[in-house]
Amino acid sequence: MKKGFIILIAFVTACSTARQPTSTSSPQHITANGKLFTAVFQQRAAEYNALCFQAYNIAKIRLDEALSKSPARPLAIVTDIDETVLDNSPYDVKQSLVGKDYEQKSWEQWTALAKADTIPGALLFFKYASSKGVKIFYLTNRAETERKGTLENLIQKGFPDAVNEQLILKTSVSSKEPRRQVIAEKYDIVMLVGDNLGDFSALFDKKPADERNHNAALSASEFGRKFIVLPNPVYGDWENTLYNYRYDLTPAQKDSVLKSVLKSY
Ligand SMILES: [Mg+2]
């Protein structure tokens, strides 16, 4: 444990020297520095891997239960892509090292590379589901311009059903609810897999933080049943909601918000 701590300190120190603040950010900002720390968790913590394995182990149990019931309609699994089946933490690290947060342009340059690794447990699970005749739908808020790189990445990694018809990209609205409903017209959706609560229900779409937490409590029995949740400490609507979905806030303004919502004693 001590050795791991020393390695972590060395890594963070290395990041500190490599970081180049821009006019819009500085190394002190939580939005840059904090994302480096959470990316260390995603990339290096065995606990992160264990949480992902846990999610996909539960998913397999639920799938086997559904398969044993001889469903009347064909079965489908609806899964998110980012931080659910593909690991984009190298993008977050690259941005944070130069004091930047997410940007659409650099994000699309990353996804076009089609080199994201897989989330632990994902590939094995989706291959298993496909072998049982279950259709996989990749329901993502990646843009249409990212279709080619996304398919290439999924195919390279060996994910089943990585075809145009089953890759459902963002349309005019970011809510996934209308796209889920289209899939549900033909299939029984066995489960939804994702890292962001909007991957599961419209109950979580663009809602204030307190309401998201309240709705998560209302949906408590669904987690580990129909809703299979992957960990994502780096980004998500859990963060966006704290800014009231104002994506134009400066890093300093975001910092003020984050510090104002933290508990201490
Ligand atoms: Mg995601």
Side-chain angles (χ1 to χ4, degrees):
M1 185 170 180
K2 190 176 178 184
K3 187 182 173 192
F5 182 70
I6 292 167
I7 290 169
L8 180 61
I9 292 295
F11 177 85
V12 172
T13 304
C15 291
S16 298
T17 51
R19 199 177 300 128
Q20 296 169 10
T22 66
S23 58
T24 55
S25 188
S26 87
Q28 290 81 27
H29 286 128
I30 299 171
T31 44
N33 221 359
K35 285 186 188 295
L36 280 180
F37 194 75
T38 51
V40 174
F41 178 75
Q42 184 172 350
Q43 294 187 349
R44 304 299 300 175
E47 286 80 358
Y48 170 81
N49 293 344
L51 284 166
C52 296
F53 287 132
Q54 179 173 263
Y56 281 112
N57 285 344
I58 293 168
K60 183 174 180 295
I61 291 168
R62 298 307 179 202
L63 177 60
D64 286 339
E65 286 173 359
L67 289 168
S68 70
K69 290 176 185 167
S70 309
R73 299 199 306 160
L75 298 182
I77 295 174
V78 175
T79 183
D80 173 52
I81 291 179
D82 298 314
E83 275 41 73
T84 298
V85 302
L86 293 181
D87 171 3
N88 301 286
S89 57
Y91 170 78
D92 299 301
V93 170
K94 190 174 175 70
Q95 288 295 99
S96 296
L97 288 174
V98 292
K100 290 184 177 178
D101 209 336
Y102 172 91
E103 304 166 307
Q104 186 65 22
K105 188 180 173 191
S106 58
W107 168 258
E108 292 195 13
Q109 288 167 347
W110 157 252
T111 60
L113 295 174
K115 60 188 288 188
D117 206 346
T118 59
I119 295 294
L123 187 57
L124 207 60
F125 171 71
F126 287 109
K127 279 184 166 177
Y128 175 75
S130 182
S131 77
K132 299 293 180 184
V134 179
K135 288 269 188 186
I136 315 299
F137 286 91
Y138 299 92
L139 179 46
T140 173
N141 276 349
R142 287 190 176 196
E144 189 59 45
T145 47
E146 297 173 84
R147 180 179 288 278
K148 182 171 173 287
T150 304
L151 276 180
E152 190 183 325
N153 205 155
L154 292 172
I155 291 167
Q156 271 180 5
K157 292 299 178 187
F159 281 98
D161 292 350
V163 293
N164 275 320
E165 303 71 40
Q166 282 159 258
L167 173 63
I168 318 294
L169 297 154
K170 186 177 176 180
T171 52
S172 53
V173 291
S174 59
S175 171
K176 293 185 171 180
E177 185 60 25
R179 288 173 280 166
R180 279 192 290 265
Q181 287 175 1
V182 171
I183 297 167
E185 286 171 9
K186 291 186 180 173
Y187 296 89
D188 273 350
I189 298 176
V190 187
M191 70 182 74
L192 302 128
V193 191
D195 65 297
N196 195 54
L197 291 180
D199 296 330
F200 305 108
S201 164
L203 276 176
F204 304 104
D205 286 337
K206 297 280 171 79
K207 294 290 195 307
D210 287 347
E211 196 173 337
R212 292 181 96 245
N213 280 312
H214 177 72
N215 290 343
L218 288 179
S219 308
S221 63
E222 296 285 12
F223 299 112
R225 289 191 181 278
K226 191 167 185 180
F227 302 165
I228 304 297
V229 191
L230 278 298
N232 182 359
V234 186
Y235 67 90
D237 280 344
W238 61 265
E239 180 189 1
N240 299 328
T241 187
L242 298 173
Y243 312 137
N244 292 322
Y245 301 91
R246 284 191 52 195
Y247 302 107
D248 59 337
L249 293 187
T250 65
Q253 288 171 323
K254 288 181 177 177
D255 267 27
S256 295
V257 172
L258 295 177
K259 286 174 181 168
S260 74
V261 299
L262 285 171
K263 290 178 194 169
S264 185
Y265 67 95

